[in-house]
Amino acid sequence: MKQNWPRQIWIVRHGESAGNVARDAADLAGHARIEIEERDVDVPLSALGRQQSDALAAWFSDLPLPEQPNVILASPYKRAVQTAQTIAGHLSPSKGLSVGVDERLREKEFGVLDRLTRRGIEELQPDQAEFRRILGKFYHRPPAGESWCDVILRLRSMLDTISLHYADQRVLIVAHQVVVLCMRYIIENLSEEQILEIDRQGDVVNCGVTEYVADAGNEVGGGLVLKRYNFVAPLIEAGAPVTAQTDANVAAR
Protein backbone atom coordinates (compact mmCIF):
# COMPACT_ATOMS: atom_id res chain seq x y z
CA MET A 1 0.00 0.00 0.00
CA LYS A 2 1.36 3.41 -1.00
CA GLN A 3 2.45 5.61 1.88
CA ASN A 4 1.78 9.34 1.90
CA TRP A 5 4.99 10.80 3.26
CA PRO A 6 5.63 14.27 4.65
CA ARG A 7 7.07 16.69 2.11
CA GLN A 8 10.18 16.98 4.31
CA ILE A 9 11.64 15.08 7.27
CA TRP A 10 14.57 16.18 9.43
CA ILE A 11 16.04 13.60 11.84
CA VAL A 12 18.30 15.18 14.43
CA ARG A 13 20.41 13.67 17.16
CA HIS A 14 20.08 15.47 20.50
CA GLY A 15 22.78 17.85 21.75
CA GLU A 16 25.69 16.63 23.84
CA SER A 17 24.44 15.14 27.12
CA ALA A 18 25.84 14.87 30.61
CA GLY A 19 26.11 11.14 29.88
CA ASN A 20 28.58 11.85 27.06
CA VAL A 21 30.76 13.74 29.53
CA ALA A 22 30.55 10.98 32.15
CA ARG A 23 31.40 8.34 29.55
CA ASP A 24 34.51 10.25 28.48
CA ALA A 25 35.62 10.56 32.12
CA ALA A 26 35.13 6.82 32.71
CA ASP A 27 37.05 5.89 29.57
CA LEU A 28 39.90 8.25 30.45
CA ALA A 29 40.17 6.79 33.94
CA GLY A 30 39.94 3.20 32.68
CA HIS A 31 36.82 2.47 34.74
CA ALA A 32 34.46 -0.41 34.05
CA ARG A 33 31.34 1.58 34.96
CA ILE A 34 30.07 5.00 33.97
CA GLU A 35 29.12 7.16 36.93
CA ILE A 36 25.69 8.62 36.21
CA GLU A 37 23.18 9.19 39.00
CA GLU A 38 20.07 9.56 36.84
CA ARG A 39 18.22 6.95 34.84
CA ASP A 40 19.33 7.15 31.22
CA VAL A 41 15.92 8.60 30.31
CA ASP A 42 16.54 11.48 32.75
CA VAL A 43 20.08 12.44 31.65
CA PRO A 44 19.98 16.13 30.59
CA LEU A 45 21.93 18.13 28.06
CA SER A 46 25.37 19.36 29.07
CA ALA A 47 26.19 23.07 28.87
CA LEU A 48 27.74 22.42 25.46
CA GLY A 49 24.64 20.47 24.42
CA ARG A 50 22.47 23.48 25.25
CA GLN A 51 24.76 25.68 23.14
CA GLN A 52 24.50 23.24 20.23
CA SER A 53 20.72 23.14 20.55
CA ASP A 54 20.55 26.94 20.49
CA ALA A 55 22.70 27.03 17.34
CA LEU A 56 20.52 24.48 15.56
CA ALA A 57 17.34 26.25 16.68
CA ALA A 58 18.64 29.53 15.25
CA TRP A 59 19.33 27.82 11.92
CA PHE A 60 15.81 26.41 11.71
CA SER A 61 14.27 29.77 12.65
CA ASP A 62 16.30 31.49 9.90
CA LEU A 63 14.69 29.32 7.23
CA PRO A 64 11.84 30.95 5.28
CA LEU A 65 8.59 30.39 7.15
CA PRO A 66 7.16 27.99 4.51
CA GLU A 67 10.31 25.84 4.87
CA GLN A 68 10.36 25.54 8.66
CA PRO A 69 9.14 22.44 10.51
CA ASN A 70 5.47 22.53 11.42
CA VAL A 71 5.51 19.22 13.33
CA ILE A 72 8.10 18.34 16.00
CA LEU A 73 8.39 14.83 17.46
CA ALA A 74 10.89 13.69 20.08
CA SER A 75 12.14 10.76 22.06
CA PRO A 76 10.91 10.89 25.68
CA TYR A 77 14.52 11.03 26.91
CA LYS A 78 15.22 14.35 28.60
CA ARG A 79 18.16 15.30 26.39
CA ALA A 80 16.04 14.83 23.26
CA VAL A 81 13.04 16.71 24.68
CA GLN A 82 15.28 19.60 25.75
CA THR A 83 16.78 19.83 22.27
CA ALA A 84 13.35 19.69 20.62
CA GLN A 85 11.86 22.28 22.97
CA THR A 86 14.75 24.64 22.30
CA ILE A 87 14.07 24.44 18.56
CA ALA A 88 10.30 24.83 19.05
CA GLY A 89 10.92 27.91 21.18
CA HIS A 90 12.89 29.61 18.40
CA LEU A 91 10.34 29.01 15.66
CA SER A 92 7.57 31.46 14.85
CA PRO A 93 5.34 31.93 17.93
CA SER A 94 2.36 32.24 15.61
CA LYS A 95 2.71 28.54 14.80
CA GLY A 96 2.06 27.55 18.40
CA LEU A 97 4.36 24.58 17.96
CA SER A 98 4.49 21.98 20.70
CA VAL A 99 6.73 18.94 20.98
CA GLY A 100 5.03 15.57 20.55
CA VAL A 101 6.77 12.86 22.58
CA ASP A 102 6.70 9.27 21.31
CA GLU A 103 8.28 6.37 23.18
CA ARG A 104 9.06 4.57 19.91
CA LEU A 105 11.79 7.16 19.31
CA ARG A 106 13.57 6.28 22.56
CA GLU A 107 17.21 5.31 22.86
CA LYS A 108 18.22 1.70 22.18
CA GLU A 109 17.84 -0.25 25.42
CA PHE A 110 21.10 -1.77 26.65
CA GLY A 111 19.84 -4.15 29.35
CA VAL A 112 22.60 -5.75 31.43
CA LEU A 113 25.22 -3.72 29.53
CA ASP A 114 23.77 -0.41 30.70
CA ARG A 115 26.41 1.99 32.07
CA LEU A 116 29.32 -0.28 31.25
CA THR A 117 32.31 0.97 29.29
CA ARG A 118 33.82 -1.23 26.60
CA ARG A 119 36.35 -2.40 29.19
CA GLY A 120 33.51 -3.04 31.64
CA ILE A 121 31.66 -5.26 29.19
CA GLU A 122 34.78 -7.31 28.51
CA GLU A 123 35.54 -7.66 32.24
CA LEU A 124 32.06 -8.01 33.75
CA GLN A 125 30.03 -9.48 30.88
CA PRO A 126 32.55 -11.50 28.84
CA ASP A 127 29.86 -13.86 27.48
CA GLN A 128 27.94 -10.91 26.07
CA ALA A 129 31.11 -9.44 24.59
CA GLU A 130 31.67 -12.75 22.78
CA PHE A 131 28.03 -13.06 21.66
CA ARG A 132 28.19 -9.55 20.24
CA ARG A 133 31.43 -10.37 18.42
CA ILE A 134 29.84 -13.47 16.86
CA LEU A 135 26.43 -11.98 16.01
CA GLY A 136 27.46 -8.39 15.27
CA LYS A 137 25.80 -5.27 16.65
CA PHE A 138 22.87 -5.47 14.22
CA TYR A 139 21.50 -8.74 15.64
CA HIS A 140 22.97 -8.96 19.14
CA ARG A 141 20.35 -8.46 21.87
CA PRO A 142 21.79 -8.18 25.40
CA PRO A 143 19.64 -9.66 28.17
CA ALA A 144 16.81 -7.20 29.01
CA GLY A 145 17.96 -5.00 26.11
CA GLU A 146 17.41 -4.51 22.39
CA SER A 147 19.17 -5.31 19.13
CA TRP A 148 19.20 -2.86 16.23
CA CYS A 149 16.48 -5.07 14.69
CA ASP A 150 14.27 -4.45 17.72
CA VAL A 151 14.74 -0.70 17.31
CA ILE A 152 13.92 -1.01 13.60
CA LEU A 153 10.69 -2.87 14.40
CA ARG A 154 9.32 -0.04 16.55
CA LEU A 155 10.53 2.59 14.09
CA ARG A 156 8.63 0.93 11.24
CA SER A 157 5.50 1.48 13.32
CA MET A 158 6.56 5.07 14.00
CA LEU A 159 7.02 5.79 10.30
CA ASP A 160 3.58 4.32 9.54
CA THR A 161 2.12 6.77 12.08
CA ILE A 162 3.99 9.67 10.49
CA SER A 163 2.73 8.65 7.04
CA LEU A 164 -0.85 8.41 8.34
CA HIS A 165 -1.01 11.64 10.34
CA TYR A 166 1.57 13.98 8.81
CA ALA A 167 1.33 13.50 5.05
CA ASP A 168 2.56 16.59 3.17
CA GLN A 169 3.80 18.20 6.41
CA ARG A 170 7.33 19.23 7.40
CA VAL A 171 8.34 16.96 10.25
CA LEU A 172 11.30 17.34 12.61
CA ILE A 173 12.31 14.30 14.69
CA VAL A 174 14.75 14.62 17.60
CA ALA A 175 16.13 11.33 18.87
CA HIS A 176 19.38 9.34 19.23
CA GLN A 177 22.28 8.02 17.18
CA VAL A 178 20.95 4.49 16.66
CA VAL A 179 17.50 5.89 15.81
CA VAL A 180 19.01 8.12 13.11
CA LEU A 181 20.87 5.18 11.58
CA CYS A 182 17.90 2.80 11.79
CA MET A 183 15.66 5.43 10.17
CA ARG A 184 18.11 5.54 7.27
CA TYR A 185 18.03 1.74 7.07
CA ILE A 186 14.23 1.75 6.73
CA ILE A 187 13.67 4.78 4.52
CA GLU A 188 16.48 3.98 2.07
CA ASN A 189 15.85 0.22 2.10
CA LEU A 190 19.46 -0.50 3.05
CA SER A 191 21.07 -3.83 3.90
CA GLU A 192 22.75 -4.72 7.18
CA GLU A 193 26.18 -4.24 5.62
CA GLN A 194 25.26 -0.90 4.07
CA ILE A 195 24.02 0.64 7.31
CA LEU A 196 26.93 -0.74 9.33
CA GLU A 197 29.36 0.72 6.78
CA ILE A 198 27.72 4.12 7.28
CA ASP A 199 28.10 3.60 11.03
CA ARG A 200 31.78 2.68 10.65
CA GLN A 201 32.48 5.90 8.77
CA GLY A 202 31.80 7.94 11.90
CA ASP A 203 29.34 8.71 14.66
CA VAL A 204 26.22 10.78 14.13
CA VAL A 205 27.22 14.15 15.58
CA ASN A 206 25.30 15.86 18.35
CA CYS A 207 22.68 18.12 16.72
CA GLY A 208 23.71 16.79 13.29
CA VAL A 209 20.90 17.01 10.71
CA THR A 210 19.74 14.20 8.43
CA GLU A 211 17.19 15.49 5.91
CA TYR A 212 14.81 13.84 3.43
CA VAL A 213 12.63 15.55 0.84
CA ALA A 214 9.67 14.13 -1.05
CA ASP A 215 10.15 13.04 -4.65
CA ALA A 216 7.19 11.28 -6.20
CA GLY A 217 9.41 9.84 -8.93
CA ASN A 218 11.65 8.01 -6.47
CA GLU A 219 10.65 4.45 -5.63
CA VAL A 220 13.35 3.80 -3.01
CA GLY A 221 12.20 5.19 0.32
CA GLY A 222 8.62 5.42 -0.91
CA GLY A 223 9.22 8.83 -2.41
CA LEU A 224 11.72 10.25 0.11
CA VAL A 225 15.19 11.25 -1.06
CA LEU A 226 18.19 11.84 1.21
CA LYS A 227 19.23 15.48 0.89
CA ARG A 228 21.96 15.55 3.55
CA TYR A 229 23.38 13.46 6.37
CA ASN A 230 25.26 14.54 9.49
CA PHE A 231 24.93 18.17 8.39
CA VAL A 232 26.82 20.37 10.88
CA ALA A 233 26.92 23.77 9.14
CA PRO A 234 24.40 25.26 11.63
CA LEU A 235 26.80 24.55 14.49
CA ILE A 236 29.88 25.77 12.66
CA GLU A 237 28.18 28.99 11.55
CA ALA A 238 27.15 29.74 15.14
CA GLY A 239 30.58 28.87 16.55
CA ALA A 240 29.23 25.93 18.58
CA PRO A 241 31.74 23.06 18.94
CA VAL A 242 30.89 19.95 16.91
CA THR A 243 30.92 16.79 19.03
CA ALA A 244 30.51 13.22 17.88
CA GLN A 245 30.61 11.42 21.20
CA THR A 246 28.63 8.22 21.37
CA ASP A 247 26.24 8.03 24.29
CA ALA A 248 27.32 6.68 27.65
CA ASN A 249 26.53 3.11 26.56
CA VAL A 250 29.03 3.33 23.71
CA ALA A 251 30.29 -0.22 23.99
CA ALA A 252 26.86 -1.76 23.52
CA ARG A 253 25.62 0.47 20.72
Side-chain angles (χ1 to χ4, degrees):
M1 184 170 63
K2 186 179 185 300
Q3 288 183 290
N4 298 310
W5 288 110
R7 69 177 66 177
Q8 203 159 1
I9 297 179
W10 298 270
I11 309 169
V12 170
R13 186 186 175 196
H14 59 79
E16 183 195 65
S17 75
N20 299 145
V21 177
R23 187 287 318 269
D24 286 346
D27 278 344
L28 186 63
H31 293 163
R33 297 186 184 275
I34 301 163
E35 297 299 324
I36 308 173
E37 293 183 3
E38 304 95 338
R39 298 182 305 162
D40 192 26
V41 68
D42 297 322
V43 171
L45 291 175
S46 66
L48 176 54
R50 292 192 295 272
Q51 182 184 356
Q52 292 168 335
S53 299
D54 283 334
L56 184 57
W59 180 78
F60 273 114
S61 66
D62 284 342
L63 294 175
L65 193 59
E67 298 176 17
Q68 294 179 9
N70 60 353
V71 175
I72 301 181
L73 304 172
S75 157
Y77 282 51
K78 187 172 184 177
R79 53 194 180 269
V81 172
Q82 287 178 317
T83 303
Q85 288 176 336
T86 299
I87 296 170
H90 277 67
L91 296 178
S92 173
S94 63
K95 286 187 175 184
L97 272 181
S98 60
V99 175
V101 173
D102 195 301
E103 75 286 345
R104 291 171 295 181
L105 293 171
R106 69 188 183 274
E107 173 66 287
K108 176 182 179 291
E109 296 177 358
F110 299 93
V112 299
L113 305 183
D114 190 26
R115 303 185 187 222
L116 297 183
T117 62
R118 189 177 302 277
R119 176 177 178 177
I121 292 175
E122 293 172 351
E123 292 181 355
L124 304 176
Q125 295 284 345
D127 287 348
Q128 290 305 312
E130 179 63 8
F131 289 153
R132 186 172 184 272
R133 185 191 67 78
I134 294 170
L135 294 172
K137 67 166 66 177
F138 194 80
Y139 290 106
H140 176 246
R141 179 191 294 126
E146 291 181 302
S147 68
W148 279 37
C149 291
D150 295 320
V151 176
I152 288 165
L153 180 61
R154 54 177 157 92
L155 290 178
R156 289 191 188 280
S157 166
M158 181 69 209
L159 285 170
D160 283 345
T161 299
I162 289 172
S163 174
L164 179 64
H165 293 288
Y166 304 117
D168 206 35
Q169 302 299 307
R170 299 180 302 278
V171 180
L172 168 63
I173 297 169
V174 182
H176 309 272
Q177 175 160 245
V178 173
V179 171
V180 174
L181 290 166
C182 289
M183 284 284 205
R184 286 202 63 179
Y185 172 86
I186 299 169
I187 293 172
E188 298 173 47
N189 195 28
L190 301 176
S191 66
E192 174 194 1
E193 179 53 38
Q194 285 173 320
I195 194 58
L196 291 182
E197 176 56 31
I198 292 170
D199 180 49
R200 283 191 290 269
Q201 290 172 6
D203 291 328
V204 178
V205 301
N206 295 111
C207 281
V209 178
T210 297
E211 182 179 357
Y212 291 92
V213 293
D215 179 0
N218 183 61
E219 294 184 1
V220 176
L224 290 175
V225 176
L226 181 68
K227 182 176 180 180
R228 46 191 159 198
Y229 171 63
N230 240 357
F231 179 62
V232 297
L235 305 185
I236 295 172
E237 290 170 2
V242 175
T243 56
Q245 297 105 320
T246 46
D247 281 330
N249 298 287
V250 56
R253 182 175 62 79

